Every structure is written in C-alpha cells, then in structure tokens.
Amino acid sequence: MKKATDCVDAIRMLIVDDDDVDRERVIRCLRRFPGVIDLTEAASLAEASAALQTNRFDTIIIDGRLGDGEGLDVLQFIANENGVVCPVILVTGFSSERDAVHAMRNGVYDYIPKHELDASRLVPVVLNGLRWATSQTALFEAERELRRRSLYDSLTDMPNRNLFFDRLEQACGNTQRYQVPFAVMMMDLDRFKEVNDTLGHAAGDQVLLQVGKRLLAACRHSDTISRLAGDEFAAICLGINTPEAAMMVAKKVLLALKPPIIVEGRALSVGISIGIALCPKHDTQPGALMAVADKAMYQAKSGLKKIVCAGLTGEAKPAYLPPQALLSELEHAIEQREFVMYYQPKINLETHQILGAEALMRWRHPSGVIVEPDHFIPVIETSNLLGKFTLMSIELVLEQVAEWRGRGLELHVALNISAKMLEDPHLARHLQQRLEKFAIPPELLTLEITETAIILNPEAARKVAEEITAIGVQLSIDDFGAGFTSFTYLREFSIPEIKIDKNFIMELKRDSFGASLVKCVSAFCESEGIRLVAEGVEQRESWALLCELGCQIGQGYSIAKPASAFDFEAWLAESKARRYEEV
Ligand code: C2E
Ligand code: CA
Ligand code: CA
C-alpha cells in the first residue's frame, strides 16, 4: 500500500478499530489495493467522529464493536453533502445474517466477518464501494438537475413559473392564516422583441440574464423573483401592505434597469412595465391576484406610467377601450381632425435663446378630454391608419408654421414621425408636396425618429433618410439611449441631431449614470459634428450641469410645458420680454 497525503487522486480512507493489531491487519490487506491511499486511523468512535468533522473521506472501514460504541454509530457523523456518498465497510466479529441485514439497512455499504478478512476479500469490496459511490453521486447530480429544471429557469437560474406559483400559493396561505401581506409584481420588458429580432437570440439571452441579475439586486432576499416566460418576470414581495410601499419597490426596479445593458459592445436600454396587486387588499387567491397584477401591467404597457398599482389608477382612459372600438373612434377622429398640436420650446441653456419647438400631438376627444399621445399613438402605429395620421400631423404642423410666418414669426419646428413610417417609400415625396403647398423652407422642419427605426430596418431607413435629407429637411434621433443604441450606426447615418432620452435627464445628478452618459455622448457628438439636445429637463438646477457636461440645448418642464399654439405664443412673447429686461 502506498501512502500519500498530498496526492489528489489518492483515496481518502478512514480505518477505525480500537484494537491496534486488527487495525494493522486491515492496513496490511490494503497493500494489495491498486491505487494510492491517503490513510487516517482512529482508535475509537470519538476519534472517528473528530476526524469526520474536519475531513472528507472516500471510504471508511470500521470495526463492528468499539470501546466507546457500535461501529454502526459512525454513520451519524457522515455528512452526505451535495450527494457525495461515502461507503462504509463494517468489519465485524459477528457473522449472523441478521446483523448483516441490520447493518446494511442502516446505511452500511457492505460487511466482512473478521475471520474472513484478507486482501482478496477486502480489496474488491473497497473498489466496488468506490464505484458505487461514484454512481450514487452522479445519480444525485442528475436528480438535482432535473429538480432544478422543473423549478428554475435554465437561462437565468431564477425560479420559474412552477416554483413561482408554488410560492404564491404558500404566500396566499400565510396571508389567510397569519395575516402576512404581500405584493405581486408582474413585469414585462418593453420592446424586447426588437432586441431578439435585430441582434439575435444570443444577445436577447444576455439581456435577460442581466435583467434577472438587476431584478434580484433590487429586491430583498426574502422576495421571490421569477422569470415566468420570455421577457416576463414576476415577484412576490413579502410584508408589503400598502400601494405606496409596493410602488417604492417597483421604483427601485425601474431604477435598477436604467443604466444600459452592454451586449456585444452595444449599450442597450431596456424599459420595463410593472403591474402590482396586493394580497389581501385585491384578492387572496393566487389566480385572481395574478389576473389583477396582469391587468395592471397591461395598463402600464399601454399608458404613460411604467408602474401601475391596481386600484390606484383613475377611470379608464379612451386607450383602454377594446382596441377595435378605439381604432374606429380614431379613424373617425382623423377624418374629423379632432387633433391639435401642442408646442414645447427648445432653448440654449447658456444664452436662453429660443431655438425652436417640438410639436406634440393631442387628441381633443369629443368628451372634452385632452388625450395624450401615448394613449393613442401605439394603437395607430399598429394599424393601417398610420399613413393618414402622419400626413395629417405634417399638415397640422406646416399649417401652423405658415400661419406664424405670415405674422413674421419664423420658427423652427420638430415633428415626431413613427419609426414605421421610414418603411414608406412615399414619405419624402409627400413631405415635399406639403412643404411646397404651404411654401415652407424645408430647413425650418426637423423630423424626430427613434433610433430603433434605424436599427430595425437599416436599409429602408437609410434610403428614406437620404431622400428626406435631400429635400432639405433635417433628421433627429429621438429618445437616444432608450433603445438599442449603437454609435457605429449613428456615424453611418450622418444624423445632424441627437436627443438624449428624458429618463436620463429628468432627475439628473452630478454623479448619476445620466451625467456620465451625457458626458460621453456629448464628446461623441462634438467629434462627429452632431447637435445634442437634452429632453425632459425638469429641474432648473440641471441647466448649468448640462452645459458643464457638454450639452447646451435643452427642452423640458423647467423651461416650459407643451402648450397649445396660442399659449405657446404667449410664452414666447413673455420670455422674449424677460430677456430684453435681463439685457
Ligand atoms: P417624445 O417625442 O419623447 O416627446 C417628449 C415627451 O416628453 C412629450 O410627451 C413631452 O410632453 C414630455 N416632456 C417634455 N418635457 C418633459 C419633462 O421635463 N419631464 C417629463 N417627464 N416629460 C417631459 P407627450 O407630449 O406626451 O408625447 C409622448 C410621445 O408621443 C412623444 O415622445 C412622441 O414619441 C409621441 N408623439 C407625440 N406627438 C407625436 C406625433 O405627432 N406623431 C408621432 N408619431 N408621435 C408623437
Ligand atoms: Ca420627440
Ligand atoms: Ca423623446
């Protein structure tokens, strides 16, 4: 027998016998063992237990009867951690069938009567024991993996739908019995399909992995965060009993997802819509609670707010009408021109000079409500009304610009164009016709398009972009950073203006991610000759910071809110008067 204490492949063996002579006999038999043995000896159950506490053994050979206990008792000291099995071989002075059965039933791998002990008997038993242990460990691993797969998501390793519903049932049970309240959050990524479609599934998987990690980091240990399917996540947050507390958790989640996810060298910004239901407030049954949270999430998806807690929202807006009813209402609204443009100024944050305005659509609903665009544009975009709607929006803006010009007010106006319109080969022609009709110099108009438009269909987008630029109308990349940004793409498109997404700007702080984003984008824009605009400038204090970071142009509530043409003109006159006073 070779002894090796450091050898990795050595079989770690523990021999326990209170009789030195018997122990020697076992060791002698093992000389015929075809491998290296790392041997530990113990003369009592106490010594064996001490050795087992600090060491891990591959096999144990133990005397049936020791001075301080039974050989069998050793089993209680063996921790079968992680499925690692340690075969125990009992060497006993008794040889009755009954003893053998008893020992094996209690977990002993095999036993050898003392009088039969020799190398030819012991060595095969040890070898078989080791093989058995290996196969047992493999089985355990397979089983564990199967269980994991049935309960955990293979990509993110987060609890899957099965485990989530199991925990949800438990949580509901606890609420009914012990009044432990909790919140269920349904979360769905915004525009995830676009990541998959444009960058491929591998990139999509990377995004999901990163999102999973951030969700886990944003919630408590005791919460269950699960990936239910695709880009759908859900959480059970224990101990939450008010909508306000739930909103706070949801806001933390939104915040955690704000910094872009870097995949294949691209900075992807992933939005998330969150719907919340509370137990017991909204329901105490798993299915019903999920339905409430689901409905809230769909409201978040189709509305302005990224987080909707059930019961907190007001009356349903027209956007929550069944889509078909809303569509026919919208069709009618386009025919009747129930739409107006609001205008929001863009200024130089240093000099306070007014550089132009962005036109933002409003629907004057016959009920008297002014409906914001997020409630109807997504519906129009997925319908065949988009072409008509876009032409109407172009006409509304150009009509206004013409009217202003007629009164000597020359103003630059930016108009939002849905990404999908870049697939329309007639867009540039229609635009030119309208510009001629209203006799507007094309340089007074900018079209704002989101960056996803470019990434989704670069070839078509490039062609239309070139045609639009050729007629003298400028393009601007809107919501920069909110989509799937690639600086390379922007370089290729030679776009004159970028508007950095308001989510990075609204609560701008010096040491925030938003600030570092503005800084690096402004450096990029400077080197490429691109104009950079910050939108969503809500705080007056951000003006100086933005200038310092390299972004001189701003738009946002701290300057002026979007207003009707009439109110906007009043603001213009007032701010001009104020500037003259300042001089
Ligand atoms: P957008 O192009 O990103 O427009 C900016 C949005 O931010 C506007 O919302 C504006 O009211 C809002 N905003 C401006 N300053 C601030 C601020 O300081 N803080 C915050 N929190 N928000 C600010 P609005 O008017 O509701 O428009 C929403 C979106 O609807 C627009 O986002 C644009 O994508 C779309 N949209 C608006 N008008 C049209 C249109 O005529 N055609 C198309 N296709 N889309 C439009
Ligand atoms: Ca815009
Ligand atoms: Ca924007």
Side-chain angles (χ1 to χ4, degrees):
M1 184 189 62
K2 293 156 228 149
K3 260 192 160 195
T5 21
D6 298 328
C7 183
V8 209
D9 292 319
I11 302 299
R12 292 160 302 181
M13 194 180 288
L14 174 66
I15 299 184
V16 192
D17 204 313
D18 53 349
D19 187 323
D20 294 351
V21 178
D22 284 352
R23 221 165 48 238
E24 261 319 302
R25 215 172 124 207
V26 172
I27 294 172
R28 225 178 307 121
C29 293
L30 287 170
R31 284 197 187 126
R32 299 261 295 276
F33 185 80
V36 183
I37 292 178
D38 177 1
L39 189 70
T40 304
E41 293 180 49
S44 65
L45 198 59
E47 273 183 41
S49 124
L52 279 161
Q53 265 170 28
T54 47
N55 298 294
R56 192 180 276 283
F57 295 99
D58 298 312
T59 186
I60 299 170
I61 301 175
I62 192 162
D63 184 14
R65 185 151 294 163
L66 297 157
D68 54 351
E70 295 286 316
L72 262 183
D73 293 341
V74 80
L75 291 169
Q76 65 188 300
F77 305 124
I78 304 173
N80 274 1
E81 275 165 21
N82 297 324
V84 177
V85 184
C86 174
V88 174
I89 298 157
L90 207 62
V91 180
T92 164
F94 308 99
S95 57
S96 84
E97 195 80 356
R98 240 191 36 221
D99 287 341
V101 172
H102 175 71
M104 308 268 282
R105 274 216 182 115
N106 281 282
V108 160
Y109 169 69
D110 207 348
Y111 90 104
I112 303 173
K114 260 190 184 161
H115 65 269
E116 287 179 19
L117 183 72
D118 62 15
S120 65
R121 183 76 208 271
L122 181 63
V123 170
V125 170
V126 172
L127 284 173
N128 284 341
L130 291 171
R131 272 195 287 272
W132 171 80
T134 309
S135 66
Q136 286 299 302
T137 307
L139 262 181
F140 179 87
E141 288 290 336
E143 216 179 314
R144 188 165 63 172
E145 179 59 16
L146 280 176
R147 203 178 61 226
R148 206 185 60 76
R149 281 170 190 240
S150 75
L151 297 178
Y152 292 87
D153 172 43
S154 58
L155 175 69
T156 59
D157 221 22
M158 300 167 90
N160 67 10
R161 182 175 279 276
N162 295 339
L163 186 53
F164 181 82
F165 276 91
D166 190 56
R167 300 237 174 113
L168 185 60
E169 253 172 47
Q170 251 177 42
C172 286
N174 280 340
T175 308
Q176 284 159 17
R177 248 166 281 138
Y178 312 113
Q179 281 77 47
V180 183
F182 68 91
V184 177
M185 293 202 297
M186 280 291 292
M187 300 171 273
D188 195 280
L189 299 186
D190 300 335
R191 297 182 297 178
F192 176 72
K193 196 178 167 296
E194 290 175 22
V195 182
N196 263 342
D197 290 353
T198 52
L199 304 179
H201 286 278
D205 285 356
Q206 281 305 311
V207 170
L208 292 171
L209 261 173
Q210 293 295 327
V211 167
K213 279 189 188 151
R214 292 193 193 178
L215 292 181
L216 286 174
C219 296
R220 286 196 209 142
H221 261 329
S222 56
D223 299 340
T224 296
I225 328 288
S226 150
R227 179 176 170 223
L228 296 185
D231 60 343
E232 215 179 84
F233 295 82
I236 300 168
C237 305
L238 297 176
I240 302 271
N241 57 356
T242 62
E244 291 73 25
M247 295 293 280
M248 269 185 41
V249 180
K251 278 182 188 156
K252 263 176 75 180
V253 167
L254 278 193
L255 212 66
L257 287 181
K258 243 183 189 176
I261 289 170
I262 309 295
V263 177
E264 293 164 11
R266 289 165 200 255
L268 309 184
S269 226
V270 185
I272 198 163
S273 303
I274 306 178
I276 305 169
L278 298 172
C279 182
K281 188 177 164 69
H282 297 123
D283 214 293
T284 52
Q285 297 304 316
L289 261 178
M290 287 303 278
V292 175
D294 220 38
K295 192 168 161 226
M297 189 199 73
Y298 277 102
Q299 286 189 3
K301 266 230 164 312
S302 55
L304 264 178
K305 299 196 180 90
K306 301 311 293 169
I307 309 170
V308 173
C309 182
L312 266 193
T313 42
E315 279 304 293
K317 297 236 169 70
Y320 306 136
L321 284 173
Q324 203 43 51
L326 179 62
L327 258 186
S328 47
E329 218 188 327
L330 280 167
E331 188 168 11
H332 180 77
I334 294 172
E335 276 163 19
Q336 298 300 311
R337 287 252 189 157
E338 287 173 9
F339 297 89
V340 282
M341 282 298 186
Y342 272 32
Y343 294 88
Q344 186 180 33
K346 207 160 69 171
I347 67 162
N348 182 312
L349 297 169
E350 229 161 36
T351 63
H352 302 179
Q353 187 193 355
I354 295 150
L355 304 171
E358 176 176 2
L360 294 157
M361 185 77 86
R362 297 291 181 264
W363 177 14
R364 262 204 285 227
H365 195 263
S367 67
V369 178
I370 297 282
V371 185
E372 308 230 318
D374 284 342
H375 293 289
F376 57 86
I377 286 192
V379 182
I380 289 180
E381 279 177 342
T382 51
S383 76
N384 57 7
L385 298 177
L386 183 62
K388 262 193 202 165
F389 174 81
T390 306
L391 285 184
M392 179 196 68
S393 70
I394 294 173
E395 290 196 354
L396 277 176
V397 162
L398 294 182
E399 227 166 50
Q400 184 62 61
V401 174
E403 204 253 320
W404 278 332
R405 288 189 83 220
R407 290 190 280 121
L409 187 63
E410 187 109 330
L411 219 87
H412 190 116
V413 176
L415 170 68
N416 293 285
I417 294 283
S418 295
K420 285 212 177 74
M421 283 308 290
L422 284 195
E423 288 165 20
D424 180 353
H426 308 298
L427 180 64
R429 188 167 51 85
H430 284 151
L431 196 61
Q432 189 162 25
Q433 282 171 356
R434 297 324 189 265
L435 283 165
E436 282 165 8
K437 176 178 164 192
F438 292 101
I440 308 282
E443 57 275 15
L444 281 187
L445 186 68
T446 290
L447 298 189
E448 295 190 5
I449 47 165
T450 55
E451 58 189 321
T452 36
I454 294 178
I455 294 168
L456 275 181
N457 195 348
E459 280 325 303
R462 187 192 309 273
K463 194 159 173 293
V464 177
E466 277 168 8
E467 287 170 2
I468 288 172
T469 313
I471 59 172
V473 171
Q474 295 198 6
L475 283 183
S476 169
I477 297 292
D478 204 358
D479 299 348
F480 182 84
F484 314 116
T485 312
S486 152
F487 286 101
T488 333
Y489 268 107
L490 285 179
R491 220 175 248 137
E492 284 173 17
F493 264 80
S494 59
I495 298 279
E497 183 184 274
I498 287 178
K499 293 181 84 171
I500 204 155
D501 190 57
K502 57 175 175 291
N503 287 307
F504 302 108
I505 307 294
M506 286 181 323
E507 289 154 22
L508 194 69
K509 303 249 171 4
R510 186 172 293 276
D511 53 359
S512 64
F513 170 74
S516 56
L517 186 73
V518 172
K519 198 167 174 187
C520 87
V521 175
S522 73
F524 167 81
C525 286
E526 203 181 309
S527 71
E528 298 292 321
I530 299 172
R531 200 165 55 232
L532 181 63
V533 182
E535 61 169 23
V537 186
E538 282 189 357
Q539 305 157 327
R540 182 65 177 80
E541 307 85 71
S542 305
W543 296 19
L545 179 56
L546 280 165
C547 292
E548 197 186 301
L549 295 168
C551 176
Q552 272 78 30
I553 309 176
Q555 178 185 339
Y557 293 168
S558 63
I559 300 155
K561 287 199 168 179
S564 66
F566 183 82
D567 291 341
F568 173 70
E569 256 188 85
W571 177 87
L572 266 184
E574 195 191 310
S575 61
K576 273 183 189 159
R578 219 180 309 126
R579 278 184 62 217
Y580 289 128
E581 272 171 26
E582 277 171 19
V583 177

